Amino acid sequence: MSAVLFFIAAIGVIAGAIGVVSFSNPFYAVLALVGHLLSLAVLFLLLRAEFVAAAQVVVYAGAVMVLYVFVVAYVGDEEQSLGGRLTRRPRSRGVDGRKPTGALFAGLLLVELFIALLGSGLKMVSSEGAPYAPGPRTYGTPAYIGNLLLTRFLLVFETASLLLLVAAVGGVVLARRRGGLEDDDEAVLTPLDILRPRGTGTMTEGVEGLALARSRAGGVAEPDGSPQDEGSRVGGPPVAGNGQASRSGW
Amino acid sequence: MNIGWYLAVSAIVFCVGAFGVMTRRNPLVVLLCLELMLNGANLSLVAFSRMWGNGDGQILALIVMTVAACEVCIGLGMIVAIHRRRLPIDVDELRELQG
């Protein structure tokens, strides 16, 4: 029974992986990865890693893949037009030889891994693994993993939480809506920009558009920083995004 | 099933992911193939953890999943920023990112 389940799940895992690599549409690639992750969770269950399997389904196949689907839906329309443009464009050098070279290196890597697997002197590789007895707090259960995470691997756990915080802040900073990106002179970062970031996605800009935010910011009509713009900005009310919006290229 | 079968599946998945990273040009799909490689490593970690009956490998697999989530967050943020600047979403075209 476990052998049948293993082979079904392994075929699903490998088919999902090949689907991710071979689908040209990124949306189908994401769906293939979802199937791959679900089959991989079955393999984890067969390896008695219940908590890891549950985390795989919830975190990976749930949260991360939803993020992927949103980004594919956001970027997708440009993707297709870009693909059409790229096929019409003459290919740059080295594009034709990339697929055989990649296949050659991946095949060599696979051969090397199989040599390492078959030639290893580990006796337990060809066994079922350590003895296992089901129980409420035995190997692989959430109680077991939680006990390990909060006693022996507490530092690792806290470091992972710090890493998640850094990644969340970095994602917000990278994907925020900022004005003036099209102007090259605006891209220069000075210490004043750090103290007071310009056009960093205020609610007024996002909801009502930049033109309304600009007019609300004190009737500044000049799109670039003219002297009267500077004067009105100094004397104007301290509205967030005041003056910065007038410099944006949008 | 023997542990060796799980290790074989993990090796195949890792190599398929490496092939995708080397050949695909869309950074979204490159990120997906990176996930494939991390999942292959995760499967071998859990298999070795089962082999010794020790939970350390499962903890490492969970940490790998955390790092993969962070990498996805940053990578997708970068893709959205590239899209906002109307740059081509293609790893061969984005040469000016090198400085």
Side-chain angles (χ1 to χ4, degrees):
Chain A
M1 179 58 199
S2 117
V4 175
L5 202 54
F6 170 80
F7 278 111
I8 292 174
I11 287 171
V13 165
I14 295 171
I18 290 174
V20 169
V21 176
S22 57
F23 277 129
S24 61
N25 191 341
F27 188 70
Y28 291 149
V30 172
L31 289 187
L33 190 60
V34 171
H36 165 85
L37 293 174
L38 292 179
S39 307
L40 201 63
V42 174
L43 284 189
F44 285 164
L45 276 181
L46 283 175
L47 283 170
R48 314 279 184 195
E50 305 162 14
F51 183 74
V52 180
Q56 174 98 3
V57 171
V58 171
V59 174
Y60 249 128
V64 173
M65 287 304 120
V66 166
L67 195 62
Y68 264 111
V69 167
F70 272 126
V71 172
V72 168
Y74 181 69
V75 179
D77 50 351
E78 172 145 351
E79 187 55 40
Q80 264 120 32
S81 64
L82 186 73
R85 206 191 75 208
L86 281 180
T87 48
R88 270 187 273 110
R89 190 177 60 93
R91 295 300 182 102
S92 56
R93 73 273 181 275
V95 169
D96 291 330
R98 186 172 48 193
K99 224 160 224 184
T101 314
L104 176 68
F105 274 102
L108 285 180
L109 189 62
L110 188 64
V111 168
E112 182 188 353
L113 284 177
F114 270 100
I115 286 173
L117 175 59
L118 294 177
S120 72
L122 292 175
K123 292 286 192 300
M124 288 183 75
V125 165
S126 56
S127 76
E128 292 270 337
Y132 173 83
R137 289 180 168 271
T138 186
Y139 168 83
T141 56
Y144 179 81
I145 297 291
N147 190 17
L148 273 181
L149 271 182
L150 290 181
T151 55
R152 194 169 156 203
F153 295 98
L154 183 60
L155 184 63
V156 177
F157 183 65
E158 296 295 336
T159 312
S161 68
L162 185 65
L163 180 68
L164 278 174
L165 175 67
V166 170
V169 172
V172 169
V173 168
L174 275 173
R176 71 183 172 178
R177 185 185 189 90
R178 58 191 121 183
L181 270 181
E182 279 80 12
D183 302 335
D184 281 334
D185 52 347
E186 293 293 323
V188 178
L189 196 66
T190 60
L192 267 183
D193 293 334
I194 298 172
L195 288 178
R196 189 210 53 192
R198 51 183 58 177
T200 52
T202 59
M203 294 290 263
T204 319
E205 293 172 11
V207 173
E208 301 169 345
L210 277 175
L212 196 54
R214 188 181 303 154
S215 66
R216 180 169 293 194
V220 180
E222 298 295 322
D224 48 2
S226 57
Q228 84 207 30
D229 182 12
E230 293 291 323
S232 74
R233 191 176 65 187
V234 169
V239 181
N242 172 20
Q244 293 94 295
S246 69
R247 290 179 167 227
S248 70
W250 296 10
Chain B
M1 291 305 295
N2 287 340
I3 300 296
W5 286 97
Y6 293 96
L7 296 180
V9 172
S10 103
I12 291 171
V13 169
F14 186 86
C15 290
V16 169
F19 172 74
V21 168
M22 283 187 275
T23 55
R24 297 304 296 265
R25 288 188 301 171
N26 190 341
L28 267 169
V29 185
V30 170
L31 277 178
L32 288 176
C33 294
L34 276 177
E35 301 284 326
L36 278 185
M37 294 174 74
L38 288 171
N39 278 322
N42 259 350
L43 182 57
S44 68
L45 281 175
V46 175
F48 281 124
S49 167
R50 173 81 183 95
M51 186 171 102
W52 294 111
N54 192 347
D56 297 4
Q58 294 191 19
I59 302 290
L60 187 49
L62 284 173
I63 299 301
V64 167
M65 284 168 63
T66 310
V67 173
C70 296
E71 165 234 325
V72 164
C73 175
I74 297 298
L76 292 183
M78 281 179 65
I79 289 173
V80 168
I82 288 169
H83 178 74
R84 285 243 173 89
R85 298 195 64 158
R86 299 284 181 263
L87 291 174
I89 301 182
D90 188 304
V91 290
D92 285 345
E93 299 281 318
L94 290 171
R95 293 205 190 87
E96 64 265 27
L97 278 185
Q98 60 192 352

